[in-house]
């Protein structure tokens, strides 16, 4: 009987607010990075194979001194606006991760916004890279800004 009373007393205490575990304050909702969909990555890989592979190679490592690598570089993993701008405006003579590249990349404006988003999403998630997807809206915003 005494054991039952002790057990009941413990159960009553466990339910008391004084012993209840405090819940952490709710966090502000984090801005989620857009995850790369497998469909976008597959489409992007096809676009890469048709338009980028010759210069940047199948492994994304480019050609020393000529065409920059796409694997694990700040240019690819960093600012998406800058990366989109490379497709829209081309690029010539650039220093990437401390190495100079002298090749000329022409603007790829023949690609539509969806194709650009897909190929950049593929590049940002291929070759050992892990980064958020590039959206059509982001490409549109940079393209619109580039026309002004």
């Amino acid at each position: 009987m005494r054991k039952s009373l002790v057990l009941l007393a413990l159960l009553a205490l466990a339910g008391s607010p004084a012993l209840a575990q405090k819940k952490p304050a709710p966090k502000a909702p984090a801005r989620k990075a857009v995850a790369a969909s497998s469909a976008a990555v597959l489409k992007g890989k096809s676009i890469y194979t048709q338009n980028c592979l010759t210069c940047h190679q199948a492994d994304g490592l480019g050609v020393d001194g000529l065409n920059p690598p796409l694997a694990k570089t700040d240019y690819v993993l960093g600012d998406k606006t800058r990366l989109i701008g490379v497709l829209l405006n081309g690029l010539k003579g650039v220093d990437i991760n401390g190495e100079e590249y002298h090749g000329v990349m022409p603007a790829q404006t023949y690609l539509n916004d969806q194709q650009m988003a897909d190929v950049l999403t593929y590049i940002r998630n291929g070759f050992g890279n892990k980064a958020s997807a590039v959206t059509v809206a982001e490409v549109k915003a940079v393209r619109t800004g580039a026309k002004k």
Side-chain angles (χ1 to χ4, degrees), residues 110-133:
Y110 57 88
L111 295 174
N112 66 36
D113 294 343
Q114 182 67 61
Q115 291 169 319
M116 284 191 181
D118 289 344
V119 75
L120 292 175
T121 295
Y122 169 70
I123 290 168
R124 287 172 54 87
N125 287 279
F127 318 116
N129 297 329
K130 293 289 177 219
S132 61

mmCIF file with all atom_site columns, all heavy atoms in Angstrom, residues 110-133:
data_model
loop_
_atom_site.group_PDB
_atom_site.id
_atom_site.type_symbol
_atom_site.label_atom_id
_atom_site.label_alt_id
_atom_site.label_comp_id
_atom_site.label_asym_id
_atom_site.label_entity_id
_atom_site.label_seq_id
_atom_site.pdbx_PDB_ins_code
_atom_site.Cartn_x
_atom_site.Cartn_y
_atom_site.Cartn_z
_atom_site.occupancy
_atom_site.B_iso_or_equiv
_atom_site.pdbx_formal_charge
_atom_site.auth_seq_id
_atom_site.auth_comp_id
_atom_site.auth_asym_id
_atom_site.auth_atom_id
_atom_site.pdbx_PDB_model_num
ATOM 1   N N   . TYR A 1 110 ? 20.714 31.986 -75.840 1.00 0.00 ? 110 TYR A N   1
ATOM 2   C CA  . TYR A 1 110 ? 19.779 31.148 -76.596 1.00 0.00 ? 110 TYR A CA  1
ATOM 3   C C   . TYR A 1 110 ? 19.042 30.177 -75.677 1.00 0.00 ? 110 TYR A C   1
ATOM 4   O O   . TYR A 1 110 ? 18.007 29.627 -76.051 1.00 0.00 ? 110 TYR A O   1
ATOM 5   C CB  . TYR A 1 110 ? 20.508 30.378 -77.709 1.00 0.00 ? 110 TYR A CB  1
ATOM 6   C CG  . TYR A 1 110 ? 21.633 29.521 -77.193 1.00 0.00 ? 110 TYR A CG  1
ATOM 7   C CD1 . TYR A 1 110 ? 21.399 28.227 -76.778 1.00 0.00 ? 110 TYR A CD1 1
ATOM 8   C CD2 . TYR A 1 110 ? 22.929 30.018 -77.105 1.00 0.00 ? 110 TYR A CD2 1
ATOM 9   C CE1 . TYR A 1 110 ? 22.429 27.449 -76.267 1.00 0.00 ? 110 TYR A CE1 1
ATOM 10  C CE2 . TYR A 1 110 ? 23.957 29.250 -76.617 1.00 0.00 ? 110 TYR A CE2 1
ATOM 11  C CZ  . TYR A 1 110 ? 23.702 27.956 -76.196 1.00 0.00 ? 110 TYR A CZ  1
ATOM 12  O OH  . TYR A 1 110 ? 24.711 27.199 -75.698 1.00 0.00 ? 110 TYR A OH  1
ATOM 13  N N   . LEU A 1 111 ? 19.574 29.953 -74.466 1.00 0.00 ? 111 LEU A N   1
ATOM 14  C CA  . LEU A 1 111 ? 18.871 29.111 -73.492 1.00 0.00 ? 111 LEU A CA  1
ATOM 15  C C   . LEU A 1 111 ? 17.751 29.931 -72.863 1.00 0.00 ? 111 LEU A C   1
ATOM 16  O O   . LEU A 1 111 ? 17.944 31.103 -72.523 1.00 0.00 ? 111 LEU A O   1
ATOM 17  C CB  . LEU A 1 111 ? 19.828 28.645 -72.379 1.00 0.00 ? 111 LEU A CB  1
ATOM 18  C CG  . LEU A 1 111 ? 20.976 27.731 -72.783 1.00 0.00 ? 111 LEU A CG  1
ATOM 19  C CD1 . LEU A 1 111 ? 21.903 27.492 -71.588 1.00 0.00 ? 111 LEU A CD1 1
ATOM 20  C CD2 . LEU A 1 111 ? 20.470 26.414 -73.338 1.00 0.00 ? 111 LEU A CD2 1
ATOM 21  N N   . ASN A 1 112 ? 16.579 29.308 -72.711 1.00 0.00 ? 112 ASN A N   1
ATOM 22  C CA  . ASN A 1 112 ? 15.490 30.031 -72.056 1.00 0.00 ? 112 ASN A CA  1
ATOM 23  C C   . ASN A 1 112 ? 15.682 29.978 -70.535 1.00 0.00 ? 112 ASN A C   1
ATOM 24  O O   . ASN A 1 112 ? 16.599 29.316 -70.032 1.00 0.00 ? 112 ASN A O   1
ATOM 25  C CB  . ASN A 1 112 ? 14.121 29.501 -72.503 1.00 0.00 ? 112 ASN A CB  1
ATOM 26  C CG  . ASN A 1 112 ? 13.860 28.069 -72.060 1.00 0.00 ? 112 ASN A CG  1
ATOM 27  O OD1 . ASN A 1 112 ? 14.267 27.638 -70.972 1.00 0.00 ? 112 ASN A OD1 1
ATOM 28  N ND2 . ASN A 1 112 ? 13.158 27.315 -72.903 1.00 0.00 ? 112 ASN A ND2 1
ATOM 29  N N   . ASP A 1 113 ? 14.835 30.680 -69.803 1.00 0.00 ? 113 ASP A N   1
ATOM 30  C CA  . ASP A 1 113 ? 14.989 30.781 -68.346 1.00 0.00 ? 113 ASP A CA  1
ATOM 31  C C   . ASP A 1 113 ? 14.951 29.408 -67.673 1.00 0.00 ? 113 ASP A C   1
ATOM 32  O O   . ASP A 1 113 ? 15.734 29.140 -66.758 1.00 0.00 ? 113 ASP A O   1
ATOM 33  C CB  . ASP A 1 113 ? 13.913 31.688 -67.749 1.00 0.00 ? 113 ASP A CB  1
ATOM 34  C CG  . ASP A 1 113 ? 14.057 33.132 -68.194 1.00 0.00 ? 113 ASP A CG  1
ATOM 35  O OD1 . ASP A 1 113 ? 15.138 33.509 -68.696 1.00 0.00 ? 113 ASP A OD1 1
ATOM 36  O OD2 . ASP A 1 113 ? 13.089 33.896 -68.036 1.00 0.00 ? 113 ASP A OD2 1
ATOM 37  N N   . GLN A 1 114 ? 14.046 28.545 -68.115 1.00 0.00 ? 114 GLN A N   1
ATOM 38  C CA  . GLN A 1 114 ? 13.939 27.203 -67.525 1.00 0.00 ? 114 GLN A CA  1
ATOM 39  C C   . GLN A 1 114 ? 15.208 26.394 -67.787 1.00 0.00 ? 114 GLN A C   1
ATOM 40  O O   . GLN A 1 114 ? 15.717 25.725 -66.894 1.00 0.00 ? 114 GLN A O   1
ATOM 41  C CB  . GLN A 1 114 ? 12.714 26.458 -68.090 1.00 0.00 ? 114 GLN A CB  1
ATOM 42  C CG  . GLN A 1 114 ? 12.511 25.076 -67.469 1.00 0.00 ? 114 GLN A CG  1
ATOM 43  C CD  . GLN A 1 114 ? 12.127 25.170 -66.007 1.00 0.00 ? 114 GLN A CD  1
ATOM 44  O OE1 . GLN A 1 114 ? 11.101 25.735 -65.665 1.00 0.00 ? 114 GLN A OE1 1
ATOM 45  N NE2 . GLN A 1 114 ? 12.946 24.607 -65.116 1.00 0.00 ? 114 GLN A NE2 1
ATOM 46  N N   . GLN A 1 115 ? 15.723 26.460 -69.004 1.00 0.00 ? 115 GLN A N   1
ATOM 47  C CA  . GLN A 1 115 ? 16.944 25.730 -69.330 1.00 0.00 ? 115 GLN A CA  1
ATOM 48  C C   . GLN A 1 115 ? 18.131 26.234 -68.504 1.00 0.00 ? 115 GLN A C   1
ATOM 49  O O   . GLN A 1 115 ? 18.944 25.444 -68.027 1.00 0.00 ? 115 GLN A O   1
ATOM 50  C CB  . GLN A 1 115 ? 17.252 25.851 -70.821 1.00 0.00 ? 115 GLN A CB  1
ATOM 51  C CG  . GLN A 1 115 ? 16.268 25.108 -71.705 1.00 0.00 ? 115 GLN A CG  1
ATOM 52  C CD  . GLN A 1 115 ? 16.439 25.450 -73.173 1.00 0.00 ? 115 GLN A CD  1
ATOM 53  O OE1 . GLN A 1 115 ? 16.651 26.611 -73.543 1.00 0.00 ? 115 GLN A OE1 1
ATOM 54  N NE2 . GLN A 1 115 ? 16.351 24.430 -74.012 1.00 0.00 ? 115 GLN A NE2 1
ATOM 55  N N   . MET A 1 116 ? 18.222 27.553 -68.343 1.00 0.00 ? 116 MET A N   1
ATOM 56  C CA  . MET A 1 116 ? 19.302 28.111 -67.527 1.00 0.00 ? 116 MET A CA  1
ATOM 57  C C   . MET A 1 116 ? 19.174 27.651 -66.075 1.00 0.00 ? 116 MET A C   1
ATOM 58  O O   . MET A 1 116 ? 20.168 27.252 -65.452 1.00 0.00 ? 116 MET A O   1
ATOM 59  C CB  . MET A 1 116 ? 19.307 29.637 -67.593 1.00 0.00 ? 116 MET A CB  1
ATOM 60  C CG  . MET A 1 116 ? 19.868 30.170 -68.874 1.00 0.00 ? 116 MET A CG  1
ATOM 61  S SD  . MET A 1 116 ? 20.127 31.955 -68.729 1.00 0.00 ? 116 MET A SD  1
ATOM 62  C CE  . MET A 1 116 ? 20.753 32.288 -70.367 1.00 0.00 ? 116 MET A CE  1
ATOM 63  N N   . ALA A 1 117 ? 17.973 27.708 -65.541 1.00 0.00 ? 117 ALA A N   1
ATOM 64  C CA  . ALA A 1 117 ? 17.762 27.269 -64.157 1.00 0.00 ? 117 ALA A CA  1
ATOM 65  C C   . ALA A 1 117 ? 18.139 25.800 -64.007 1.00 0.00 ? 117 ALA A C   1
ATOM 66  O O   . ALA A 1 117 ? 18.809 25.414 -63.043 1.00 0.00 ? 117 ALA A O   1
ATOM 67  C CB  . ALA A 1 117 ? 16.309 27.501 -63.748 1.00 0.00 ? 117 ALA A CB  1
ATOM 68  N N   . ASP A 1 118 ? 17.741 24.967 -64.960 1.00 0.00 ? 118 ASP A N   1
ATOM 69  C CA  . ASP A 1 118 ? 18.028 23.534 -64.886 1.00 0.00 ? 118 ASP A CA  1
ATOM 70  C C   . ASP A 1 118 ? 19.522 23.240 -64.985 1.00 0.00 ? 118 ASP A C   1
ATOM 71  O O   . ASP A 1 118 ? 20.061 22.459 -64.194 1.00 0.00 ? 118 ASP A O   1
ATOM 72  C CB  . ASP A 1 118 ? 17.277 22.776 -65.982 1.00 0.00 ? 118 ASP A CB  1
ATOM 73  C CG  . ASP A 1 118 ? 15.773 22.710 -65.754 1.00 0.00 ? 118 ASP A CG  1
ATOM 74  O OD1 . ASP A 1 118 ? 15.321 22.973 -64.618 1.00 0.00 ? 118 ASP A OD1 1
ATOM 75  O OD2 . ASP A 1 118 ? 15.054 22.405 -66.724 1.00 0.00 ? 118 ASP A OD2 1
ATOM 76  N N   . VAL A 1 119 ? 20.207 23.854 -65.932 1.00 0.00 ? 119 VAL A N   1
ATOM 77  C CA  . VAL A 1 119 ? 21.632 23.557 -66.097 1.00 0.00 ? 119 VAL A CA  1
ATOM 78  C C   . VAL A 1 119 ? 22.429 24.082 -64.906 1.00 0.00 ? 119 VAL A C   1
ATOM 79  O O   . VAL A 1 119 ? 23.366 23.419 -64.439 1.00 0.00 ? 119 VAL A O   1
ATOM 80  C CB  . VAL A 1 119 ? 22.193 24.058 -67.446 1.00 0.00 ? 119 VAL A CB  1
ATOM 81  C CG1 . VAL A 1 119 ? 22.385 25.569 -67.473 1.00 0.00 ? 119 VAL A CG1 1
ATOM 82  C CG2 . VAL A 1 119 ? 23.500 23.343 -67.767 1.00 0.00 ? 119 VAL A CG2 1
ATOM 83  N N   . LEU A 1 120 ? 22.067 25.238 -64.389 1.00 0.00 ? 120 LEU A N   1
ATOM 84  C CA  . LEU A 1 120 ? 22.780 25.762 -63.221 1.00 0.00 ? 120 LEU A CA  1
ATOM 85  C C   . LEU A 1 120 ? 22.486 24.941 -61.974 1.00 0.00 ? 120 LEU A C   1
ATOM 86  O O   . LEU A 1 120 ? 23.365 24.733 -61.128 1.00 0.00 ? 120 LEU A O   1
ATOM 87  C CB  . LEU A 1 120 ? 22.457 27.236 -63.010 1.00 0.00 ? 120 LEU A CB  1
ATOM 88  C CG  . LEU A 1 120 ? 23.007 28.168 -64.094 1.00 0.00 ? 120 LEU A CG  1
ATOM 89  C CD1 . LEU A 1 120 ? 22.544 29.601 -63.866 1.00 0.00 ? 120 LEU A CD1 1
ATOM 90  C CD2 . LEU A 1 120 ? 24.517 28.090 -64.183 1.00 0.00 ? 120 LEU A CD2 1
ATOM 91  N N   . THR A 1 121 ? 21.269 24.439 -61.853 1.00 0.00 ? 121 THR A N   1
ATOM 92  C CA  . THR A 1 121 ? 20.942 23.546 -60.740 1.00 0.00 ? 121 THR A CA  1
ATOM 93  C C   . THR A 1 121 ? 21.762 22.269 -60.847 1.00 0.00 ? 121 THR A C   1
ATOM 94  O O   . THR A 1 121 ? 22.301 21.779 -59.851 1.00 0.00 ? 121 THR A O   1
ATOM 95  C CB  . THR A 1 121 ? 19.434 23.238 -60.723 1.00 0.00 ? 121 THR A CB  1
ATOM 96  O OG1 . THR A 1 121 ? 18.733 24.460 -60.453 1.00 0.00 ? 121 THR A OG1 1
ATOM 97  C CG2 . THR A 1 121 ? 19.072 22.202 -59.672 1.00 0.00 ? 121 THR A CG2 1
ATOM 98  N N   . TYR A 1 122 ? 21.892 21.742 -62.063 1.00 0.00 ? 122 TYR A N   1
ATOM 99  C CA  . TYR A 1 122 ? 22.730 20.552 -62.263 1.00 0.00 ? 122 TYR A CA  1
ATOM 100 C C   . TYR A 1 122 ? 24.180 20.828 -61.873 1.00 0.00 ? 122 TYR A C   1
ATOM 101 O O   . TYR A 1 122 ? 24.799 20.054 -61.139 1.00 0.00 ? 122 TYR A O   1
ATOM 102 C CB  . TYR A 1 122 ? 22.658 20.077 -63.721 1.00 0.00 ? 122 TYR A CB  1
ATOM 103 C CG  . TYR A 1 122 ? 23.699 19.035 -64.032 1.00 0.00 ? 122 TYR A CG  1
ATOM 104 C CD1 . TYR A 1 122 ? 23.605 17.763 -63.497 1.00 0.00 ? 122 TYR A CD1 1
ATOM 105 C CD2 . TYR A 1 122 ? 24.801 19.333 -64.829 1.00 0.00 ? 122 TYR A CD2 1
ATOM 106 C CE1 . TYR A 1 122 ? 24.585 16.808 -63.755 1.00 0.00 ? 122 TYR A CE1 1
ATOM 107 C CE2 . TYR A 1 122 ? 25.779 18.388 -65.089 1.00 0.00 ? 122 TYR A CE2 1
ATOM 108 C CZ  . TYR A 1 122 ? 25.661 17.120 -64.552 1.00 0.00 ? 122 TYR A CZ  1
ATOM 109 O OH  . TYR A 1 122 ? 26.626 16.182 -64.795 1.00 0.00 ? 122 TYR A OH  1
ATOM 110 N N   . ILE A 1 123 ? 24.715 21.936 -62.336 1.00 0.00 ? 123 ILE A N   1
ATOM 111 C CA  . ILE A 1 123 ? 26.116 22.275 -62.048 1.00 0.00 ? 123 ILE A CA  1
ATOM 112 C C   . ILE A 1 123 ? 26.318 22.474 -60.545 1.00 0.00 ? 123 ILE A C   1
ATOM 113 O O   . ILE A 1 123 ? 27.308 22.020 -59.981 1.00 0.00 ? 123 ILE A O   1
ATOM 114 C CB  . ILE A 1 123 ? 26.528 23.538 -62.840 1.00 0.00 ? 123 ILE A CB  1
ATOM 115 C CG1 . ILE A 1 123 ? 26.623 23.198 -64.330 1.00 0.00 ? 123 ILE A CG1 1
ATOM 116 C CG2 . ILE A 1 123 ? 27.842 24.110 -62.327 1.00 0.00 ? 123 ILE A CG2 1
ATOM 117 C CD1 . ILE A 1 123 ? 26.734 24.404 -65.241 1.00 0.00 ? 123 ILE A CD1 1
ATOM 118 N N   . ARG A 1 124 ? 25.357 23.115 -59.874 1.00 0.00 ? 124 ARG A N   1
ATOM 119 C CA  . ARG A 1 124 ? 25.484 23.354 -58.438 1.00 0.00 ? 124 ARG A CA  1
ATOM 120 C C   . ARG A 1 124 ? 25.277 22.086 -57.610 1.00 0.00 ? 124 ARG A C   1
ATOM 121 O O   . ARG A 1 124 ? 25.519 22.093 -56.403 1.00 0.00 ? 124 ARG A O   1
ATOM 122 C CB  . ARG A 1 124 ? 24.505 24.449 -57.993 1.00 0.00 ? 124 ARG A CB  1
ATOM 123 C CG  . ARG A 1 124 ? 24.941 25.838 -58.459 1.00 0.00 ? 124 ARG A CG  1
ATOM 124 C CD  . ARG A 1 124 ? 23.888 26.907 -58.205 1.00 0.00 ? 124 ARG A CD  1
ATOM 125 N NE  . ARG A 1 124 ? 23.423 27.013 -56.849 1.00 0.00 ? 124 ARG A NE  1
ATOM 126 C CZ  . ARG A 1 124 ? 23.999 27.756 -55.901 1.00 0.00 ? 124 ARG A CZ  1
ATOM 127 N NH1 . ARG A 1 124 ? 25.075 28.463 -56.174 1.00 0.00 ? 124 ARG A NH1 1
ATOM 128 N NH2 . ARG A 1 124 ? 23.479 27.816 -54.679 1.00 0.00 ? 124 ARG A NH2 1
ATOM 129 N N   . ASN A 1 125 ? 24.836 21.003 -58.247 1.00 0.00 ? 125 ASN A N   1
ATOM 130 C CA  . ASN A 1 125 ? 24.606 19.750 -57.529 1.00 0.00 ? 125 ASN A CA  1
ATOM 131 C C   . ASN A 1 125 ? 25.322 18.566 -58.158 1.00 0.00 ? 125 ASN A C   1
ATOM 132 O O   . ASN A 1 125 ? 25.099 17.421 -57.766 1.00 0.00 ? 125 ASN A O   1
ATOM 133 C CB  . ASN A 1 125 ? 23.108 19.477 -57.419 1.00 0.00 ? 125 ASN A CB  1
ATOM 134 C CG  . ASN A 1 125 ? 22.480 20.411 -56.419 1.00 0.00 ? 125 ASN A CG  1
ATOM 135 O OD1 . ASN A 1 125 ? 22.552 20.163 -55.229 1.00 0.00 ? 125 ASN A OD1 1
ATOM 136 N ND2 . ASN A 1 125 ? 21.927 21.513 -56.890 1.00 0.00 ? 125 ASN A ND2 1
ATOM 137 N N   . GLY A 1 126 ? 26.157 18.820 -59.143 1.00 0.00 ? 126 GLY A N   1
ATOM 138 C CA  . GLY A 1 126 ? 26.966 17.774 -59.755 1.00 0.00 ? 126 GLY A CA  1
ATOM 139 C C   . GLY A 1 126 ? 28.426 18.003 -59.407 1.00 0.00 ? 126 GLY A C   1
ATOM 140 O O   . GLY A 1 126 ? 28.774 18.987 -58.752 1.00 0.00 ? 126 GLY A O   1
ATOM 141 N N   . PHE A 1 127 ? 29.274 17.090 -59.826 1.00 0.00 ? 127 PHE A N   1
ATOM 142 C CA  . PHE A 1 127 ? 30.732 17.238 -59.662 1.00 0.00 ? 127 PHE A CA  1
ATOM 143 C C   . PHE A 1 127 ? 31.152 17.368 -58.198 1.00 0.00 ? 127 PHE A C   1
ATOM 144 O O   . PHE A 1 127 ? 32.119 18.035 -57.878 1.00 0.00 ? 127 PHE A O   1
ATOM 145 C CB  . PHE A 1 127 ? 31.246 18.445 -60.464 1.00 0.00 ? 127 PHE A CB  1
ATOM 146 C CG  . PHE A 1 127 ? 30.650 18.570 -61.831 1.00 0.00 ? 127 PHE A CG  1
ATOM 147 C CD1 . PHE A 1 127 ? 29.869 19.653 -62.169 1.00 0.00 ? 127 PHE A CD1 1
ATOM 148 C CD2 . PHE A 1 127 ? 30.861 17.576 -62.784 1.00 0.00 ? 127 PHE A CD2 1
ATOM 149 C CE1 . PHE A 1 127 ? 29.300 19.762 -63.435 1.00 0.00 ? 127 PHE A CE1 1
ATOM 150 C CE2 . PHE A 1 127 ? 30.303 17.678 -64.049 1.00 0.00 ? 127 PHE A CE2 1
ATOM 151 C CZ  . PHE A 1 127 ? 29.523 18.770 -64.376 1.00 0.00 ? 127 PHE A CZ  1
ATOM 152 N N   . GLY A 1 128 ? 30.387 16.771 -57.299 1.00 0.00 ? 128 GLY A N   1
ATOM 153 C CA  . GLY A 1 128 ? 30.700 16.849 -55.876 1.00 0.00 ? 128 GLY A CA  1
ATOM 154 C C   . GLY A 1 128 ? 30.162 18.097 -55.202 1.00 0.00 ? 128 GLY A C   1
ATOM 155 O O   . GLY A 1 128 ? 30.397 18.313 -54.018 1.00 0.00 ? 128 GLY A O   1
ATOM 156 N N   . ASN A 1 129 ? 29.437 18.929 -55.927 1.00 0.00 ? 129 ASN A N   1
ATOM 157 C CA  . ASN A 1 129 ? 28.857 20.155 -55.368 1.00 0.00 ? 129 ASN A CA  1
ATOM 158 C C   . ASN A 1 129 ? 27.540 19.835 -54.672 1.00 0.00 ? 129 ASN A C   1
ATOM 159 O O   . ASN A 1 129 ? 26.812 18.935 -55.078 1.00 0.00 ? 129 ASN A O   1
ATOM 160 C CB  . ASN A 1 129 ? 28.576 21.181 -56.473 1.00 0.00 ? 129 ASN A CB  1
ATOM 161 C CG  . ASN A 1 129 ? 29.831 21.632 -57.184 1.00 0.00 ? 129 ASN A CG  1
ATOM 162 O OD1 . ASN A 1 129 ? 30.897 21.683 -56.600 1.00 0.00 ? 129 ASN A OD1 1
ATOM 163 N ND2 . ASN A 1 129 ? 29.696 21.962 -58.455 1.00 0.00 ? 129 ASN A ND2 1
ATOM 164 N N   . LYS A 1 130 ? 27.221 20.607 -53.662 1.00 0.00 ? 130 LYS A N   1
ATOM 165 C CA  . LYS A 1 130 ? 25.924 20.527 -52.985 1.00 0.00 ? 130 LYS A CA  1
ATOM 166 C C   . LYS A 1 130 ? 25.488 21.951 -52.687 1.00 0.00 ? 130 LYS A C   1
ATOM 167 O O   . LYS A 1 130 ? 26.023 22.607 -51.794 1.00 0.00 ? 130 LYS A O   1
ATOM 168 C CB  . LYS A 1 130 ? 26.018 19.736 -51.679 1.00 0.00 ? 130 LYS A CB  1
ATOM 169 C CG  . LYS A 1 130 ? 26.322 18.268 -51.875 1.00 0.00 ? 130 LYS A CG  1
ATOM 170 C CD  . LYS A 1 130 ? 25.131 17.557 -52.452 1.00 0.00 ? 130 LYS A CD  1
ATOM 171 C CE  . LYS A 1 130 ? 25.461 16.103 -52.718 1.00 0.00 ? 130 LYS A CE  1
ATOM 172 N NZ  . LYS A 1 130 ? 24.896 15.591 -53.918 1.00 0.00 ? 130 LYS A NZ  1
ATOM 173 N N   . ALA A 1 131 ? 24.537 22.440 -53.463 1.00 0.00 ? 131 ALA A N   1
ATOM 174 C CA  . ALA A 1 131 ? 24.057 23.812 -53.272 1.00 0.00 ? 131 ALA A CA  1
ATOM 175 C C   . ALA A 1 131 ? 22.581 23.873 -53.645 1.00 0.00 ? 131 ALA A C   1
ATOM 176 O O   . ALA A 1 131 ? 22.048 22.966 -54.281 1.00 0.00 ? 131 ALA A O   1
ATOM 177 C CB  . ALA A 1 131 ? 24.875 24.777 -54.131 1.00 0.00 ? 131 ALA A CB  1
ATOM 178 N N   . SER A 1 132 ? 21.939 24.940 -53.261 1.00 0.00 ? 132 SER A N   1
ATOM 179 C CA  . SER A 1 132 ? 20.518 25.101 -53.555 1.00 0.00 ? 132 SER A CA  1
ATOM 180 C C   . SER A 1 132 ? 20.287 25.237 -55.058 1.00 0.00 ? 132 SER A C   1
ATOM 181 O O   . SER A 1 132 ? 21.175 25.610 -55.815 1.00 0.00 ? 132 SER A O   1
ATOM 182 C CB  . SER A 1 132 ? 19.967 26.324 -52.823 1.00 0.00 ? 132 SER A CB  1
ATOM 183 O OG  . SER A 1 132 ? 20.642 27.491 -53.246 1.00 0.00 ? 132 SER A OG  1
ATOM 184 N N   . ALA A 1 133 ? 19.068 24.937 -55.437 1.00 0.00 ? 133 ALA A N   1
ATOM 185 C CA  . ALA A 1 133 ? 18.674 25.021 -56.835 1.00 0.00 ? 133 ALA A CA  1
ATOM 186 C C   . ALA A 1 133 ? 18.604 26.471 -57.289 1.00 0.00 ? 133 ALA A C   1
ATOM 187 O O   . ALA A 1 133 ? 18.423 27.387 -56.490 1.00 0.00 ? 133 ALA A O   1
ATOM 188 C CB  . ALA A 1 133 ? 17.304 24.358 -57.027 1.00 0.00 ? 133 ALA A CB  1
#
